[in-house]
Amino acid sequence: MVKPEQMSLTAHQHIQGYLSSSANNEISKEDLNAILRLSQHLRVFGLLSAAAYVKQQNAQEGIVRSRILPVWKSLLGQLINPDNPPSETELRDAVVAMAKDEPAQYMTTWRKAMVLSNHWNFWARAYSG
């Protein structure tokens, strides 16, 4: 269930989780851009597409992807399992299974991600250098 009053605190925890996993004290410009891109991707393409992008391995390797991947993996992973974020493969597999086997839960999680993305954006700006 999406609890609007909890979203800002949850997003703050996710940003803090990303900062601690990246060993940085602030969000870099590249990290901020990655978070903003995640918000846009979720709105346009959906949660399934974002999770698949994290796992995708093809010719799209490069600077942009290398900057996006750690941020997306952290935030989406914490969305799926805040206590033990999954690996790239586990993340994709969990979202694919949810979309296939529990479509109502998938839609709720996607809505939660879209609501959280506004708060991720806010907290990322607050912690940017």
Side-chain angles (χ1 to χ4, degrees), residues 54-121:
V54 168
K55 175 60 180 117
Q56 184 178 14
Q57 295 178 352
N58 60 21
Q60 291 185 354
E61 293 297 329
I63 301 270
V64 172
R65 183 168 168 74
S66 68
R67 290 177 178 166
I68 288 174
L69 204 53
V71 174
W72 287 29
K73 179 185 173 215
S74 176
L75 295 179
L76 293 174
Q78 291 179 78
L79 171 71
I80 299 302
N81 187 343
D83 298 324
N84 188 19
S87 70
E88 293 94 336
T89 301
E90 293 167 335
L91 173 64
R92 184 204 54 208
D93 292 349
V95 174
V96 167
M98 189 188 319
K100 180 182 172 191
D101 301 332
E102 302 175 72
Q105 179 66 30
Y106 171 79
M107 293 304 293
T108 299
T109 305
W110 183 8
R111 280 192 296 273
K112 182 177 180 180
M114 288 192 299
V115 171
L116 273 172
S117 70
N118 292 326
H119 296 283
W120 287 334
N121 294 346

Side-chain angles (χ1 to χ4, degrees), residues 2-20:
V2 176
K3 299 176 183 173
E5 65 278 1
Q6 183 65 35
M7 291 296 105
S8 183
L9 292 174
T10 300
H12 183 261
Q13 290 169 340
H14 290 174
I15 295 295
Q16 288 293 311
Y18 170 69
L19 286 171
S20 66

